[in-house]
Amino acid sequence: MLDVQDLCKSFDKKPFLTDLTFQVAAGESLVLVGENGAGKTLLLNILATLVEPTSGSVSIDGVDAFANLKQVRPSIGYIPVGFDGYPELSVMDYLNFYAAAYKVEKRGRTDAIDAVLELMDIQHLREVKIEVLSTGEQQRLLFAKTFLHEPQLWLLDEPLTPLDPNGQVETIALFSELQAMGKTIVIATNRLDDVHRLCSTDAQDKNYVGILSDGQFAVFKTFRELREANTEAEATETLSPEGLSKLLAQDSHSD
């Protein structure tokens, strides 16, 4: 579904991403890991067609994304870190605005909005202004907005960070449901414990971990491959952040 070939991005002739090639199919996920400044958010912005690469290509469902922006953008759902824009609107007005932008039919718009409000359990906030919502409530609203146009490709930057523990559990379950629906998911995170929580599902062979270092993938493997490379993890079917960190370090030194 997502096919990236020889992707490079430079600013003022300084390379930030170099020769990235990878694929993520329908029903698969990729969790991007790396230090601050490693290029995770930059890569998400390129995949969202918000930043054009210096060279290389991004294809979505076999369509060159940057040569066909109008065609591919409806299939992309991007949730950046933090909430941006329209704090003076109510939740209902905000969703109405985006439903119109996504060309949701007017006669079915109210039902569509009610459905995403219920899905994200924020029906009680429909008349509340965005500026007074908590960070977690704003995150739920971003998910609700994204569900309106039912994208195939989901791009998420630090999606668990703003949420309380209960919200994180619900969001991880939501990702599993999206995968079961055949969606393609790319998530960026700085937190190794999030990698385990996002990837240790029944679909471990469909959950990829990519660690970015110096603009390239030092590691790109399925979570199952990473777990089975660790004897303790293989025995317990868990992979701690410490174990993951050691495996990532070993692989990055061996490449």
Side-chain angles (χ1 to χ4, degrees), residues 123-229:
Q123 310 95 309
H124 58 294
L125 300 174
R126 59 192 302 130
E127 301 304 329
V128 177
K129 287 190 175 183
I130 293 171
E131 61 190 356
V132 301
L133 297 178
S134 69
T135 302
E137 290 168 342
Q138 290 180 352
Q139 182 81 340
R140 288 172 181 267
L141 178 56
L142 286 174
F143 272 91
K145 181 261 288 185
T146 305
F147 267 107
L148 278 173
H149 72 293
E150 300 181 356
Q152 174 61 34
L153 174 61
W154 285 68
L155 307 171
L156 305 108
D157 199 353
E158 298 285 356
L160 300 182
T161 301
L163 301 175
D164 61 25
N166 187 54
Q168 292 180 27
V169 171
E170 292 174 353
T171 300
I172 291 168
L174 180 61
F175 291 148
S176 295
E177 292 176 17
L178 288 171
Q179 274 191 274
M181 293 166 62
K183 305 296 185 181
T184 303
I185 306 170
V186 181
I187 299 171
T189 183
N190 287 331
R191 299 171 14 163
L192 290 179
D193 56 339
D194 284 353
V195 176
H196 172 77
R197 297 170 68 196
L198 290 163
C199 293
S200 58
T201 67
D202 292 337
Q204 291 185 23
D205 55 342
K206 294 184 177 181
N207 297 332
Y208 290 87
V209 178
I211 180 168
L212 280 169
S213 178
D214 295 325
Q216 296 179 312
F217 281 123
V219 175
F220 192 99
K221 293 184 177 182
T222 68
F223 188 77
R224 186 182 300 279
E225 289 171 335
L226 287 173
R227 182 179 62 78
E228 291 178 350

Side-chain angles (χ1 to χ4, degrees), residues 91 97 123 239:
V91 166
F97 173 83
Q123 310 95 309
L239 182 55

Side-chain angles (χ1 to χ4, degrees), residues 44-189:
L44 285 185
N45 282 326
I46 293 174
L47 299 181
T49 70
L50 300 176
V51 175
E52 189 168 357
T54 304
S55 61
S57 65
V58 176
S59 297
I60 298 173
D61 274 345
V63 178
D64 187 311
F66 287 93
N68 302 275
L69 292 176
K70 289 185 178 180
Q71 182 177 346
V72 302
R73 279 180 170 168
S75 66
I76 300 170
Y78 182 32
I79 300 180
V81 60
F83 197 94
D84 184 26
Y86 311 111
E88 73 283 357
L89 292 181
S90 70
V91 166
M92 192 67 181
D93 288 341
Y94 177 83
L95 292 176
N96 260 313
F97 173 83
Y98 276 100
Y102 294 145
K103 294 181 170 56
V104 177
E105 288 190 18
K106 192 170 184 179
R107 62 183 178 180
R109 202 170 292 168
T110 299
D111 289 342
I113 291 173
D114 286 342
V116 297
L117 286 171
E118 182 175 358
L119 178 66
M120 298 312 301
D121 194 24
I122 53 174
Q123 310 95 309
H124 58 294
L125 300 174
R126 59 192 302 130
E127 301 304 329
V128 177
K129 287 190 175 183
I130 293 171
E131 61 190 356
V132 301
L133 297 178
S134 69
T135 302
E137 290 168 342
Q138 290 180 352
Q139 182 81 340
R140 288 172 181 267
L141 178 56
L142 286 174
F143 272 91
K145 181 261 288 185
T146 305
F147 267 107
L148 278 173
H149 72 293
E150 300 181 356
Q152 174 61 34
L153 174 61
W154 285 68
L155 307 171
L156 305 108
D157 199 353
E158 298 285 356
L160 300 182
T161 301
L163 301 175
D164 61 25
N166 187 54
Q168 292 180 27
V169 171
E170 292 174 353
T171 300
I172 291 168
L174 180 61
F175 291 148
S176 295
E177 292 176 17
L178 288 171
Q179 274 191 274
M181 293 166 62
K183 305 296 185 181
T184 303
I185 306 170
V186 181
I187 299 171
T189 183

